[in-house]
Amino acid sequence: MTEKTFSPFARPLYVMLKPVGSTCNLRCNYCYYLEKRDLYPHDKEFAMSDELLERFIEQYLNSQTMPEVLFTWHGGEPLIKDIAFFRKALHLQKKYGQGRRIENTIQTNGTLLNDEWCSFFKDNNFLVGISIDGSQSLHDTYRKTRDGKPSFNQVMNGISLLKKHKVEFNVMGVVNNKNVDYPLEFYHFFKQIEAHYIQFTPIVETIDGALTPWSIPAEKWGNFLITIFKEWVKQDVGRYFIQYFDATLANWVGAQPGVCSLAKTCGHAGVMEFNGDVYSCDHYVFPNYKLGNIYSNTLVEMMYSEKQLKFGADKHETLPTQCLQCEYFFACNGECPKNRIASTPTGEPNLNYLCRGYHKFFSYVAPYMDFMKTELMAQRSPANVMQLKLSQHPNN
């Protein structure tokens, strides 16, 4: 019997919600989502109706098989929608939730936060994700307002308000061709603002087949991760939680990594636009990856369709031989398919552009991951790794 590579019911149905589509008050150079407005040239107002909101929430909750349900609000900039819209959403969650525990997370650029928003988030236990690319000089390189002005001070004001209202937040830093050369400055800044949950997103984008200027070189990505890991593993394990490090350890012990890019398959995290169109993934909002519309198809029909199951399985099925034979394949799984724009030395396509960087990172962290895996298997804390002295480790 051959191994089944993708089970449609292996994980709960998950669909990210974009209540204002790609509408945003910033104009970040590297933003891949602003162009999605071109998919809807006849729409004057990119805003989800209350009717559609209720349809989504009812279907989403009725499709869940677990007692806990996560709603993720994304953009564009979702705070362009007013608080009344989100109050309506919470009312509908309660109406259709049937006693389930419901959690909400929202990703924002932080510039529109005020006391009213932060009080609302605190009162309703929202987890807020803040997009910020490091210290002021690094952040303002690409993250600018519509009229080309820097946005750092506005974001920092938003973070101050979140702290004031004791709102739980994490940070998401986009790693680009500028800040990739300053990993410790990047990391120290996040520690300085007391961000204990940190995500990194490496930029790999092409225009007409050519890499954009803000894309990062593959090996620099590996160096970036290693440099931060060296400090983290000595003094910050259990205090600061870096998504890539946690996901790597999860794969090392054979658990789900918690981040789709390092999982074996994908296709279990769709996205719904402001008008009800559902797509395979946030990074695949293109006509070829449209699964349907919630007015004509149910979320279950779309997310468990043959088209979506194939999309999920293809992450593994289309890998080149080099990946399948790599000693760190279990930790990487070929990473995100959107980054598979390179070819192997033998000419096979679908090699991840960041392959060399990931291989370098996994090679470096392997002895530490082995140690933490042993600690976990013995029901001890992986933070014990901070007491480990690997003097024989290369580059130490």
Side-chain angles (χ1 to χ4, degrees):
M1 180 181 293
T2 58
E3 181 185 0
K4 192 172 183 178
T5 58
F6 186 80
S7 171
F9 299 100
R11 298 181 186 177
L13 182 149
Y14 175 77
V15 179
M16 180 189 296
L17 208 55
K18 292 182 177 278
V20 294
S22 62
T23 305
C24 188
N25 62 318
L26 297 186
R27 287 296 179 270
C28 306
N29 299 67
Y30 53 64
C31 182
Y32 67 92
Y33 217 81
L34 288 174
E35 67 182 26
K36 304 309 175 186
R37 195 174 188 88
D38 296 338
L39 292 172
Y40 305 100
H42 302 298
D43 284 278
K44 296 180 180 179
E45 188 175 334
F46 283 58
M48 184 174 292
S49 68
D50 288 350
E51 177 194 1
L52 176 55
L53 176 68
E54 181 162 8
R55 180 182 288 262
F56 173 83
I57 289 177
E58 181 180 14
Q59 282 198 26
Y60 191 62
L61 285 168
N62 288 340
S63 71
Q64 302 298 319
T65 59
M66 306 295 287
E68 296 183 359
V69 182
L70 176 65
F71 283 79
T72 299
W73 308 88
H74 219 278
E77 174 47 56
L79 298 195
I80 288 175
K81 267 292 192 183
D82 58 22
I83 288 180
F85 175 84
F86 288 95
R87 292 193 190 280
K88 171 83 170 180
L90 295 179
H91 170 76
L92 293 169
Q93 288 174 357
K94 186 175 181 180
K95 177 180 177 180
Y96 295 108
Q98 299 178 335
R100 289 187 176 93
R101 179 181 173 183
I102 297 174
E103 297 183 352
N104 287 277
T105 180
I106 190 166
Q107 186 69 33
T108 174
N109 60 44
T111 62
L112 300 180
L113 288 169
N114 55 30
D115 283 304
E116 185 181 13
W117 272 116
C118 292
S119 179
F120 170 79
F121 290 144
K122 177 62 177 178
D123 291 345
N124 295 286
N125 300 311
F126 270 66
L127 171 62
V128 178
I130 294 286
S131 299
I132 185 168
D133 292 353
S135 59
Q136 185 165 10
S137 61
L138 298 177
H139 174 92
D140 284 338
T141 301
Y142 293 123
R143 296 190 68 85
K144 292 182 168 61
T145 62
R146 289 180 179 178
D147 55 0
K149 295 180 180 178
S151 64
F152 178 81
N153 289 334
Q154 293 171 269
V155 180
M156 288 302 297
N157 180 65
I159 291 174
S160 295
L161 289 170
L162 291 172
K163 291 180 180 179
K164 171 186 171 183
H165 289 270
K166 296 181 170 55
V167 178
E168 186 177 357
F169 74 97
N170 59 34
V171 294
M172 193 277 286
V174 174
V175 184
N176 53 62
N177 67 313
K178 298 296 184 182
N179 57 23
V180 72
D181 291 325
Y182 303 94
L184 286 184
E185 180 179 332
F186 206 47
Y187 184 40
H188 291 165
F189 170 77
F190 288 146
K191 293 205 288 185
Q192 178 185 336
I193 64 173
E194 302 175 54
H196 287 267
Y197 297 88
I198 303 168
Q199 301 177 48
F200 299 130
T201 298
I203 283 288
V204 179
E205 291 181 1
T206 60
I207 297 178
D208 297 328
L211 279 172
T212 59
W214 42 82
S215 295
I216 60 173
E219 291 202 21
K220 283 191 175 183
W221 173 234
N223 294 336
F224 176 90
L225 292 175
I226 290 169
T227 303
I228 294 176
F229 183 86
K230 284 182 178 180
E231 177 164 320
W232 178 82
V233 80
K234 289 178 181 178
Q235 62 188 46
D236 291 334
V237 182
R239 295 176 59 239
Y240 292 91
F241 300 88
I242 299 175
Q243 188 182 48
Y244 269 107
F245 302 165
D246 291 345
T248 298
L249 179 58
N251 275 341
W252 228 265
V253 301
Q256 291 292 345
V259 53
C260 58
S261 61
L262 298 185
K264 184 176 182 180
T265 59
C266 52
H268 35 70
V271 56
M272 191 178 86
E273 272 284 354
F274 69 98
N275 67 342
D277 285 346
V278 176
Y279 293 86
S280 292
C281 168
D282 185 39
H283 290 283
Y284 283 84
V285 179
F286 300 106
N288 289 347
Y289 295 93
K290 180 180 171 181
L291 301 174
N293 187 285
I294 197 171
Y295 281 111
S296 53
N297 308 96
T298 68
L299 292 174
V300 170
E301 288 171 340
M302 290 184 281
M303 290 302 295
Y304 296 142
S305 65
E306 287 299 318
K307 182 176 182 177
Q308 184 68 351
L309 296 183
K310 183 178 185 304
F311 174 82
D314 278 351
K315 179 177 182 182
H316 177 81
E317 298 299 328
T318 60
L319 285 166
T321 305
Q322 177 177 313
C323 289
L324 299 174
Q325 295 178 346
C326 176
E327 68 267 42
Y328 299 119
F329 173 64
F330 71 94
C332 172
N333 287 302
E335 209 245 6
C336 184
K338 76 177 180 65
N339 294 333
R340 296 179 186 175
I341 58 174
S343 298
T344 68
T346 59
E348 279 190 272
N350 294 327
L351 180 68
N352 197 294
Y353 166 79
L354 296 172
C355 176
R356 292 195 307 276
Y358 277 113
H359 192 277
K360 189 173 186 179
F361 168 66
F362 293 133
S363 297
Y364 183 87
V365 304
Y368 299 97
M369 292 295 164
D370 288 341
F371 181 88
M372 286 190 283
K373 177 181 179 179
T374 300
E375 294 300 282
L376 282 170
M377 296 299 100
Q379 297 186 332
R380 296 189 294 264
S381 172
N384 292 337
V385 73
M386 292 188 290
Q387 304 169 18
L388 185 64
K389 304 296 181 185
L390 293 180
S391 58
Q392 302 302 314
H393 196 291
N395 302 321
N396 271 356

